[in-house]
C-alpha cells in the first residue's frame, strides 16, 4: 500500500489535487488504481533518487470503492524556475547541455511528466535540475512519450519567448539542450 510517513524538521507544504482524468469524482479514484495514483508515483520517483520534491507524509483513506489521497512534500530551498532564469540573462551552451542531460536523466529513469514546461523545471543554487508539479506524472518504459515531453518543453519555451521578446532563448539554445540530452542518452 501507499501508506507512509517520514516527517522531518523542514519547511513543508501540502498538495491536494484531483486526478485530472477523474475530476468528476473529486479527489476520489477507483481503489484498483491505487498503485498508479500520483502520491504513489511521486514516492516511487523520489525513491529512485531523482530530484523531485521529497515526500514528507502521505495519507490514503478508503471510502467504499474509492479513496482520497493527500501528500505533503518538503519545500526545495533556493530554486528558480527555468523561465525566470532565462528572463534574467543569457545562459551559455554548457548550461543548456547540462539541462538537456538532466532531463534525459529523468527520462532514462522512466519519468514521464505530463506538463513539462519552463515553469516546472527549476534550477537550484548548485545548478541541479528539479522537476516540480509531478502529480500528473508516471513511471513508464521508454517510448514516444519522451519526444512528446521534449516537444512540450520546446513549445513552452517558444511561448514564453513570444510573450516576452527580451527573453534570452534562441534556437541555438534548444540545439545545445538536445546535444546534452542525446549525449547523456548515448552514455547510459
Amino acid at each position: 500500500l501507499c501508506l507512509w510517513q517520514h516527517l522531518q524538521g523542514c519547511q513543508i507544504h501540502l498538495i491536494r489535487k484531483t486526478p485530472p482524468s477523474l475530476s468528476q469524482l473529486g479527489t476520489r479514484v477507483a481503489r484498483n488504481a491505487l498503485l498508479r495514483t500520483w502520491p504513489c508515483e511521486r514516492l516511487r520517483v523520489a525513491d529512485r533518487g531523482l530530484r523531485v520534491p521529497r515526500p514528507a507524509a502521505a495519507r490514503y483513506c478508503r471510502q467504499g470503492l474509492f479513496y482520497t489521497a493527500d501528500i505533503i512534500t518538503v519545500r526545495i530551498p533556493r530554486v528558480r524556475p527555468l523561465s525566470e532564469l532565462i528572463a534574467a540573462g543569457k545562459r551559455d551552451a554548457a548550461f543548456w547541455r547540462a539541462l538537456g542531460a538532466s532531463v534525459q536523466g529523468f527520462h532514462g529513469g522512466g519519468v514521464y511528466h505530463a506538463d513539462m514546461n519552463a515553469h516546472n523545471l527549476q534550477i537550484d543554487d548548485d545548478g541541479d535540475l528539479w522537476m516540480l508539479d509531478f502529480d500528473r506524472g508516471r513511471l513508464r518504459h521508454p517510448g514516444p512519450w519522451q519526444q512528446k515531453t521534449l516537444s512540450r518543453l520546446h513549445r513552452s519555451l517558444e511561448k514564453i519567448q513570444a510573450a516576452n521578446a527580451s527573453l534570452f532563448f534562441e534556437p541555438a539554445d534548444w540545439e545545445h539542450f538536445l546535444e546534452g540530452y542525446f549525449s547523456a542518452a548515448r552514455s547510459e
Side-chain angles (χ1 to χ4, degrees):
L1 288 180
C2 184
L3 277 176
W4 84 99
Q5 186 168 350
H6 182 75
L7 291 172
Q8 308 233 345
C10 303
Q11 263 191 329
I12 56 177
H13 64 282
L14 172 67
I15 299 171
R16 174 178 276 177
K17 292 198 175 184
T18 302
S21 61
L22 299 171
S23 58
Q24 69 277 13
L25 298 176
T27 58
R28 299 172 182 201
V29 293
R31 208 174 33 213
N32 64 2
L34 169 64
L35 296 179
R36 295 187 49 82
T37 62
W38 60 270
C40 290
E41 291 290 329
R42 177 84 59 93
L43 178 60
R44 283 191 201 93
V45 171
D47 284 348
R48 290 181 179 206
L50 297 169
R51 287 184 294 277
V52 295
R54 190 177 78 237
R59 181 180 68 157
Y60 165 82
C61 298
R62 289 172 48 163
Q63 297 175 356
L65 295 175
F66 303 97
Y67 75 90
T68 59
D70 303 297
I71 189 170
I72 297 175
T73 62
V74 176
R75 187 176 306 277
I76 305 164
R78 299 174 306 282
V79 292
R80 293 175 65 192
L82 174 60
S83 57
E84 185 179 306
L85 286 174
I86 60 176
K90 176 91 176 117
R91 299 293 158 184
D92 63 11
F95 170 85
W96 289 102
R97 285 187 193 104
L99 183 65
S102 294
V103 169
Q104 203 293 318
F106 279 93
H107 282 180
V111 176
Y112 165 71
H113 193 292
D115 188 26
M116 186 184 299
N117 62 55
H119 303 293
N120 291 336
L121 298 182
Q122 306 224 343
I123 315 298
D124 66 18
D125 287 346
D126 296 326
D128 292 327
L129 173 69
W130 291 80
M131 195 174 286
L132 305 186
D133 196 18
F134 188 71
D135 56 293
R136 291 176 35 210
R138 295 281 180 249
L139 292 174
R140 292 185 170 180
H141 296 290
W145 63 266
Q146 293 165 306
Q147 180 58 48
K148 288 179 182 179
T149 58
L150 291 178
S151 296
R152 169 72 179 99
L153 175 59
H154 191 216
R155 284 192 310 274
S156 166
L157 290 164
E158 289 177 328
K159 181 179 176 181
I160 292 169
Q161 184 186 29
N164 180 359
S166 65
L167 190 78
F168 296 94
F169 175 71
E170 302 169 353
D173 296 330
W174 185 249
E175 293 302 318
H176 295 306
F177 173 90
L178 292 176
E179 287 172 17
Y181 181 91
F182 289 114
S183 176
R186 284 189 297 272
S187 64
E188 276 192 344

